[in-house]
Amino acid sequence: MDIKITTLAGAEAGKVTLSDEIFGLDPREDILQRVVRWQLAKRQQGTHKAKGRSEIARTGAKMYKQKGTGRARHHSARAPQFRGGGKAHGPVVRSHEHDLPKKVRALGLKHALSAKAKASSLIVVDDLMLSDAKTKALVANFAGLGLTNALMIGGAELDQNFKRAASNIPNIDVLPVQGINVYDILRRGTLVLSKAAVEALEERFK
């Protein structure tokens, strides 16, 4: 698959041949869903917590005598049915993470890249570099490329001027190539890869 390379200013800078094994697959929604679900579960903190009856700071003495009152039998005021008592079956601190085979994760990334290529939402630029960290200039470049909602993937090292300039622009994410992931690719409308990122991805999936 051949795709043209552009500069940030919108000028043509040649062509690049993308591997069909990475960018030419027929996207499978089931694989993408599995990877996104795995990613989001892994991101959950799992720090939600409610106190059970054993953790409530309240007297453990019997509320009143067992017989002769005409009322129901009760013991501790920490029981869940009483105001101020412990929570029955409440949330506890735990990990939401679950396993996903490494091959499925790699396949999910390929399918996400292929989905963007198939939808014509993939742009390859020669490099993501700016001489000055000026947001105004970068916004003008993005307007020329028609980018309003995009994920920008650079090489192994991001240009700091570009990263700073893009950090103030809403709906624009910038990541190094080692941080590329299925969820971020799918949540943005357009995927912008630098030439170095394309080379790194093809090297990674050899």
Side-chain angles (χ1 to χ4, degrees), residues 44 46-52 55 86-96:
Q44 280 190 263
T47 53
H48 46 2
K49 176 77 172 68
K51 288 186 178 182
E55 299 167 305
K87 178 77 173 173
H89 311 294
V92 294
V93 176
R94 68 187 180 92
S95 170
H96 294 268

Side-chain angles (χ1 to χ4, degrees), residues 38-196:
W38 171 78
Q39 271 189 251
L40 295 183
K42 194 178 174 69
R43 281 171 52 173
Q44 280 190 263
Q45 285 186 325
T47 53
H48 46 2
K49 176 77 172 68
K51 288 186 178 182
R53 63 184 294 172
S54 64
E55 299 167 305
I56 295 293
R58 204 171 186 185
T59 178
K62 189 172 175 66
M63 298 178 71
Y64 45 77
K65 64 181 183 177
Q66 178 87 345
K67 294 181 176 295
T69 64
R71 300 176 65 186
R73 296 172 290 185
H74 290 300
H75 182 260
S76 173
R78 299 173 185 160
Q81 67 265 35
F82 297 116
R83 183 173 181 176
K87 178 77 173 173
H89 311 294
V92 294
V93 176
R94 68 187 180 92
S95 170
H96 294 268
E97 189 176 350
H98 58 269
D99 290 332
L100 189 68
K102 207 170 187 178
K103 287 184 178 180
V104 177
R105 284 182 260 160
L107 191 59
L109 183 54
K110 289 180 183 179
H111 279 272
L113 294 168
S114 296
K116 288 299 180 187
K118 189 173 183 180
S120 300
S121 298
L122 176 65
I123 296 175
V124 178
V125 295
D126 55 349
D127 56 37
L128 300 176
M129 296 183 71
L130 291 176
S131 55
D132 295 308
K134 299 292 185 183
T135 300
K136 187 176 180 180
L138 192 56
V139 167
N141 288 337
F142 286 170
L145 292 171
L147 299 176
T148 55
N149 187 304
L151 171 65
M152 323 285 291
I153 303 294
E157 295 291 333
L158 289 176
D159 178 57
Q160 291 303 308
N161 286 339
F162 183 88
K163 186 178 177 182
R164 288 193 187 104
S167 65
N168 294 327
I169 305 175
N171 300 321
I172 298 291
D173 296 330
V174 181
L175 291 173
V177 68
Q178 58 267 32
I180 192 170
N181 63 87
V182 174
Y183 178 68
D184 281 328
I185 291 173
L186 297 180
R187 72 191 286 261
R188 294 298 178 205
T190 307
L191 176 63
V192 180
L193 298 175
S194 69
K195 195 175 175 183

